[in-house]
Structure formats: C-alpha cells, structure tokens
Amino acid sequence: MTTTRLIDLGKGEPQNSVLPLEYFRKAAEHRLALPDRSAFGYAPEQGWESLRAEMARFLTARSGLDVDPGELLVTSGASHGLDLILSRFTRPGDTIVVEDPTYFFALDIIRDRGVRVLPVPMDGGGLDVGALESLLATEHPRLLYSVPVFNNPMGTTLAPQRRRRLVELAERHDFLIVADEVYQLLGDVTPPLRAAGGDRVLSLGSFSKIFAPGVRLGWVHADPRLLTRLLQDGELHSAGGASPVTGAIMESALALGLQDRFLDELSDHYHALRRHMIQALSDTLPPSLRFVPPDGGYYIWLPLPEHLDCAALLPEAEKAGLAYRPGSLFSTGGGSAHCMRLCFVHYDEPTLTEGCRRLAAFLRPRV
C-alpha cells in the first residue's frame, strides 16, 4: 500500500536546496582567516560597529532609504527584535493594536507580554487606516504592530497614502509603530515605512528571509533615541550584542558582495515560483474563487465562501495529501475562518503544480 506524500502549501520557509551553503562557507573562511578574534568574545550591546556599517551600506543600496549605522541594533532575528521592543516599551495591561489577520507567531509573542490586543481589519490595500482612526477615538495604544510590505499572511502592501496617514495618526495619538519588514526586499522594492516619517517607526529586518533562517540574525532600524531605550535591556547588558560569531560571518558576506549576489538569485527564484503558483491556481481553481496575486514575499491569501471553515476542513485535506494554514490562525478572535494562507517558496515548480491540482480537486465539490 502506498501513502500519498503530503504537500504542505502552508509551510513558510525556503527549500533546503536553495540555501546558500557555498556563500556561507566562503564568508566563514574569509572571516576565520583574519587575525582578529573579537567575534569570539562579547559584542557591544548594539552590535559590532563594523557589522552595522556593512548592514547600513547594504540597506541603503537596497531599500532606497539612507540608513545610518547608529540607527541599527543587531538582534537574533526579527522575533527577538519584536520581543525586545515589547519588553522596553510596554507593561502588562497596555493596549497593542495589530492587523487582523496578522503573523500568528507575532501574536504569541505579543500575548506573552500580558497586554491587551485590539485588531484592526485589513483589505487589498493593507491596514484599514480609516478603521484604525475610528478605534483611536476611544483607545490609547502604546504600539501598533504591522507587516506593511508583502504582508504575512495576505501578501498585500500598504498603499502610499495609507502609510502617510498611519504615521500622522501615530504622531497625533502618541503611539509607536513596529513595522515587521522582513519581506521588504523580496519583490518590487517599496521604501520602508520609516520613509513616510521615521521618528515613531521601529523597523524589524532579518537575514532569515534573505539569506537563511538558521543564521538567526536581524536588526531593529529606528531613531537613536528609541534605540537608547532598547539598549537598557538587562539581557543585552548580560549577554552582549546578539550572535557575534554569526554576525562576523555575515559581515564578511556583506563586505564580499555575497549577500547581494544571493539576494539577486533568490529574488529571481522566488519571482519564478510566485508566477508559477499564481498561474497554477488560476488554471485549476473553481472559477468562483478569486485571490489577489502578491507582488513579492512568500504568501498567497485564498478566501473561500464564508460558510466554510478552513480549520475544520484541514484534517480532510491532509487525507488527500494536502495542507495549508487556516485563516483563523492569523486572527485575534478567530476571524478569517473561510480563508487559507498558501506559500510558494517551499517547493519546486512541479510540486507546486501538483499541490495546486490537489487543492482544486479538494475544493471543487465544496464551493
């Protein structure tokens, strides 16, 4: 008896075959050939100045925003950056506003801080800033968490006029914006949210999405006055700057142009996979189902008829050799139950084709 191989279209991580083993080896050899052994000791809380200088050069060239090394704090990935911000700028009982739907692991990190979480709806243009403004008439949040570019899970990008309005609301109502921009360089480049007015924006970035997840190295890009508050963190005082050995290797990867070269290759690869999956879904899904093709990132958001519950359907889908992430996972109150998040970066084109075929066959009698 043969078992159908499960195709998990919800898995949000790259294929092992595209990870930059050779580039990492070259960067490590370059670093280890240097006589400087400082990377094996404690790093300054903000991260090594030479690493931040290379990161700033890279981000300035790639993002369209002039980045100063003094505006960067090195972290152990974007999740560490988010938790660090929450630890320094919130207290239990404070109000945090999040997009709904939003990245489900970020919700876990936020809830762990004992704060009150309030959702604001999303649409095809990203965060509904009008709904946020209505909420702010009665609520006084400390922070707003957003994935403004190639949103996880919806794949949307916050429209320019909404960006400006969001920053204006933060100024008027005295809250900070945490912009999770880990997908920002994976598609047609949109300037970081800080470009709309950066004094109240803390941008999270990570090499996990543009190099390899296991690197566990990222950054917070923010006004130095905000970084000063983050640098008061006790864990940073005890352990020093994040991931100094990995940071030294990534400094070499940046200095040698290896990160640039790999990001170009990765972007082309993801672009091809994205186009392929969009076409495969368009060719196979029942005509009644519509989705908005993303311009970058990792994800496609697929709404089904509202009477369907994707979480309840998942066990049946798995029996048919298919998995996805149900929309309710990304909602603070179980909303978006009729939606599913699909990912196009984890499989090659033939597997994506087969996964889309299975998905269409599974959905056809149900919609």
Side-chain angles (χ1 to χ4, degrees), residues 150-199:
F150 310 137
N151 175 271
N152 181 4
M154 290 187 69
T156 56
T157 293
L158 189 62
Q161 64 273 20
R162 295 191 184 189
R163 290 166 167 262
R164 292 189 293 270
R165 193 172 169 198
L166 174 57
V167 170
E168 290 168 0
L169 288 173
E171 291 284 353
R172 189 189 317 160
H173 294 274
D174 190 27
F175 63 87
L176 299 174
I177 302 168
V178 182
D180 192 340
E181 297 181 301
V182 296
Y183 304 101
Q184 195 256 345
L185 300 179
L186 294 175
D188 294 335
V189 175
T190 300
L193 190 59
R194 279 176 53 79
D199 289 352

Side-chain angles (χ1 to χ4, degrees), residues 273-290:
L273 292 176
R274 183 172 73 250
R275 289 184 61 184
H276 184 85
M277 188 168 184
I278 289 169
Q279 190 62 55
L281 289 172
S282 300
D283 290 344
T284 59
L285 285 177
S288 61
L289 298 184
R290 297 285 186 269

Side-chain angles (χ1 to χ4, degrees), residues 259-332:
Q259 170 66 92
D260 274 302
R261 195 182 314 166
F262 179 67
L263 180 54
D264 288 339
E265 295 170 1
L266 192 67
S267 295
D268 289 345
H269 179 65
Y270 286 173
H271 177 69
L273 292 176
R274 183 172 73 250
R275 289 184 61 184
H276 184 85
M277 188 168 184
I278 289 169
Q279 190 62 55
L281 289 172
S282 300
D283 290 344
T284 59
L285 285 177
S288 61
L289 298 184
R290 297 285 186 269
F291 63 94
V292 178
D295 294 322
Y298 274 25
Y299 304 112
I300 294 173
W301 186 245
L302 180 62
L304 305 184
E306 292 191 4
H307 68 277
L308 294 175
D309 185 333
C310 289
L313 290 174
L314 186 55
E316 296 178 53
E318 290 175 343
K319 291 177 184 177
L322 173 74
Y324 50 80
R325 296 299 176 269
S328 55
L329 187 65
F330 304 88
S331 175
T332 59

Side-chain angles (χ1 to χ4, degrees), residues 10 22 28 41 75 85 106 111 114 127 149 168 186 188 324-325 333 338:
E22 185 62 18
T75 64
I85 291 167
R111 287 167 175 152
L127 176 73
V149 179
E168 290 168 0
L186 294 175
D188 294 335
Y324 50 80
R325 296 299 176 269
H338 65 293

